């Protein structure tokens, strides 16, 4: 064990002496969480809203004022006919239009009031968000204007937003960024550090030491496990105190699942290092097999249910897909751990398979 600890210290010294590596390991998580949390946003803001209001009563004016006062919509045009509205959409002068029925305030009390939202559906995801925002505001104002003994439910459809009522994109990106960062640091950096020893010929020097090859490999993985844990804590602190993304569920189980995912990523890095001989090859394999699939097929940005069936099958073999899914349940939804047993079981199975295959291949190659 003293020899193993000495090897671990040696790896820490190697990492700390390389300032560029330290910058990547500790700086990249901070940059990415800030970038994805603030710069890359799918929130609806400054939507150009037009109004067609033949009624022009106190209720419609209050709805329009409430929409204009929100940070999501900006009332830019008032139409007098449907033809004007159609022409404005053709010229791309507006993003969305709200149309009220005639005698709106009278029909409101009888349940016959109608509100039509006309939206440019070129971007389906964005148009859906716009409709949801506007519908929520219209429904809220309608309920405020109704007498206490009457219901305004017939004005618009009832919409309830769970887990993220403000529709902040950070709630979606934080679990994905956690999976991406931990995957890249553990798998990519571990594979490169081991391949570097092979490429420079120093692995043979390590193998003549009294320490078994298995402990040499594990000693190289331990520093990245520790640094990944530090990054995990950093991401959680930034998420809670900078991006206002709360940890609704159990913090203990969130960290436990994250440590399991880190172990899976380390095992994957060992596997990559066993099939590559140069750092360039390890970088290419890590980038092609880890970074792009993790970003595109893990559910980090795009919903898996919307993908073709073959891509859904590919996403099933990505560890990040199950980790991101578990983090969203534990961190955002706050569900009990029993509802995450499926994801934990799959990650445990992946860890067992990957570490077995990786160590076995290293054993044959290095002895």
């Amino acid at each position: 064990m003293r020899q193993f600890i000495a090897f671990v210290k040696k790896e820490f010294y190697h990492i700390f002496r390389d300032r560029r590596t330290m910058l990547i390991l500790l700086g990249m998580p901070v940059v990415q969480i800030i970038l994805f949390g603030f710069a890359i946003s799918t929130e609806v803001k400054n939507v150009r809203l037009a109004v067609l209001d033949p009624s022009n009563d106190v209720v419609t004016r209050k709805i329009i004022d409430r929409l204009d006062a929100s940070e999501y919509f900006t009332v830019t045009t008032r139409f007098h006919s449907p033809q004007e509205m159609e022409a404005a959409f053709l010229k791309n002068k507006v993003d969305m239009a709200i149309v009220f029925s005639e005698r709106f305030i009278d029909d409101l009390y009888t349940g016959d009031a109608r509100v039509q939202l006309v939206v440019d559906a070129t971007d389906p995801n964005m148009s859906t968000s716009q409709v949801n925002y506007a519908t929520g505001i219209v429904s809220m104002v309608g309920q405020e204007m109704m007498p206490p003994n009457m219901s305004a439910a017939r004005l618009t459809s009832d919409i309830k937003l769970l887990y993220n009522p403000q529709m902040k994109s950070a709630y979606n990106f934080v679990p994905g960024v956690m999976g991406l960062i931990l995957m890249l640091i553990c798998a990519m950096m571990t594979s490169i550090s081991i391949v570097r020893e092979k490429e420079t010929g120093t692995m043979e020097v390590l193998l003549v030491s009294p320490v078994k090859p298995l402990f040499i490999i594990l000693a190289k993985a331990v520093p990245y496990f520790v640094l990944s844990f530090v990054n995990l804590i950093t991401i959680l602190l930034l998420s809670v105190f900078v991006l206002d993304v709360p940890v609704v569920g159990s913090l203990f189980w969130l960290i436990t699942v994250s440590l399991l995912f880190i172990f899976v990523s380390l095992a994957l890095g060992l596997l990559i290092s066993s099939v590559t001989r140069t750092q360039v090859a390890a970088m290419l394999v890590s980038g092609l097999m880890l970074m792009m699939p993790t970003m595109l097929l893990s559910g980090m940005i795009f919903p898996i249910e919307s993908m073709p069936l073959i891509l859904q099958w590919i996403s099933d073999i990505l560890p990040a897909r199950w980790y991101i899914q578990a983090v969203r349940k534990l961190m955002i939804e706050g569900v009990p751990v029993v509802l995450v047993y499926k994801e934990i079981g799959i990650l445990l199975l992946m860890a067992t398979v990957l570490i077995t295959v990786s160590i076995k291949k290293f054993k044959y190659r290095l002895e």
Side-chain angles (χ1 to χ4, degrees):
M1 184 56 64
R2 292 176 60 186
Q3 294 170 335
F4 175 73
I5 295 176
F7 269 85
V8 172
K9 290 182 179 179
K10 177 189 74 69
E11 292 302 322
F12 271 113
Y13 292 149
H14 278 302
I15 296 173
F16 291 154
R17 281 199 295 261
D18 191 345
R19 294 183 179 179
R20 290 175 296 181
T21 301
M22 287 297 299
L23 182 62
I24 293 175
L25 291 176
L26 300 180
M28 184 177 66
V30 177
V31 173
Q32 285 194 342
I33 195 69
I34 298 298
L35 179 64
F36 278 88
F38 289 107
I40 302 177
S41 175
T42 59
E43 297 175 29
V44 175
K45 290 185 178 180
N46 300 320
V47 177
R48 297 173 298 175
L49 179 66
V51 177
L52 178 57
D53 182 18
S55 178
N56 194 26
D57 54 56
V58 62
V59 178
T60 60
R61 287 195 296 269
K62 185 169 184 178
I63 292 175
I64 295 169
D65 292 339
R66 187 71 62 87
L67 288 168
D68 194 27
S70 70
E71 63 175 339
Y72 314 118
F73 302 96
T74 302
V75 177
T76 59
T77 311
R78 289 180 179 268
F79 297 132
H80 299 91
S81 67
Q83 290 76 19
E84 290 182 76
M85 181 180 66
E86 184 179 353
F89 274 106
L90 291 175
K91 296 177 182 178
N92 195 27
K93 291 184 177 180
V94 297
D95 301 316
M96 185 177 184
I98 181 169
V99 183
F100 296 95
S101 61
E102 296 183 6
R103 298 186 299 274
F104 185 87
I105 190 170
D106 296 329
D107 295 338
L108 180 64
Y109 297 104
T110 62
D112 297 327
R114 294 290 180 266
V115 178
Q116 182 183 34
L117 297 174
V118 183
V119 60
D120 182 1
T122 303
D123 186 341
N125 295 327
M126 187 62 67
S127 62
T128 301
S129 299
Q130 294 171 5
V131 170
N132 289 338
Y133 276 66
T135 303
I137 294 176
V138 170
S139 176
M140 180 169 40
V141 175
Q143 292 176 5
E144 292 174 357
M145 299 300 293
M146 292 293 290
N149 59 344
M150 298 185 66
S151 174
R154 288 174 290 181
L155 178 59
T156 56
S157 58
D158 185 19
I159 296 178
K160 186 177 181 180
L161 301 175
L162 297 177
Y163 314 125
N164 183 16
Q166 296 85 15
M167 297 182 71
K168 292 183 178 180
S169 59
Y171 280 65
N172 178 52
F173 282 122
V174 165
V177 172
M178 291 174 63
L180 179 63
I181 291 175
L182 296 179
M183 173 65 74
L184 291 182
I185 289 179
C186 295
M188 183 180 292
M189 301 306 294
T190 302
S191 64
I192 293 174
S193 67
I194 296 175
V195 172
R196 185 189 300 120
E197 301 281 3
K198 295 181 182 180
E199 191 175 5
T200 57
T202 55
M203 183 61 76
E204 288 78 1
V205 177
L206 298 177
L207 291 177
V208 299
S209 66
V211 182
K212 295 181 180 180
L214 172 62
F215 291 104
I216 294 176
I217 301 304
L218 294 179
K220 298 186 73 64
V222 167
Y224 294 103
F225 184 89
V226 175
L227 291 174
S228 297
F229 180 75
V230 173
N231 283 325
L232 172 64
I233 300 301
T234 302
I235 293 172
L236 292 177
L237 291 175
L238 288 172
S239 302
V240 173
F241 295 106
V242 178
L243 301 179
D244 295 326
V245 180
V247 180
V248 180
S250 171
L251 180 61
F252 170 79
W253 283 109
L254 177 61
I255 294 178
T256 301
V257 174
S258 299
L259 293 178
L260 174 60
F261 178 69
I262 290 173
F263 186 77
V264 173
S265 302
L266 289 173
L268 188 56
L270 296 179
L271 180 60
I272 294 175
S273 65
S274 68
V275 298
T276 56
R277 296 185 179 182
T278 63
Q279 297 182 60
V280 175
M283 285 286 291
L284 290 175
V285 172
S286 300
L288 293 175
M289 295 183 58
L290 300 180
M291 186 171 183
M292 293 305 295
T294 298
M295 292 185 64
L296 300 178
L297 302 179
S298 65
M300 172 183 175
I301 301 177
F302 308 106
I304 298 175
E305 295 77 12
S306 302
M307 299 178 185
L309 187 59
I310 186 172
L311 294 182
Q312 294 186 32
W313 292 343
I314 295 175
S315 71
D316 288 341
I317 64 175
L318 296 177
R321 180 259 175 96
W322 303 105
Y323 173 68
I324 293 173
Q325 193 169 303
V327 170
R328 284 175 176 163
K329 290 182 178 181
L330 291 172
M331 183 176 180
I332 306 301
E333 300 178 14
V335 302
V337 70
V338 293
L339 299 180
V340 195
Y341 280 167
K342 176 183 177 181
E343 289 80 3
I344 294 177
I346 293 175
L347 289 175
L348 282 172
L349 178 61
M350 289 182 174
T352 303
V353 173
L354 287 173
I355 199 66
T356 302
V357 175
S358 302
I359 293 179
K360 185 177 181 180
K361 290 187 73 66
F362 264 114
K363 186 176 182 181
Y364 291 150
R365 184 180 290 266
L366 297 177
E367 285 186 348

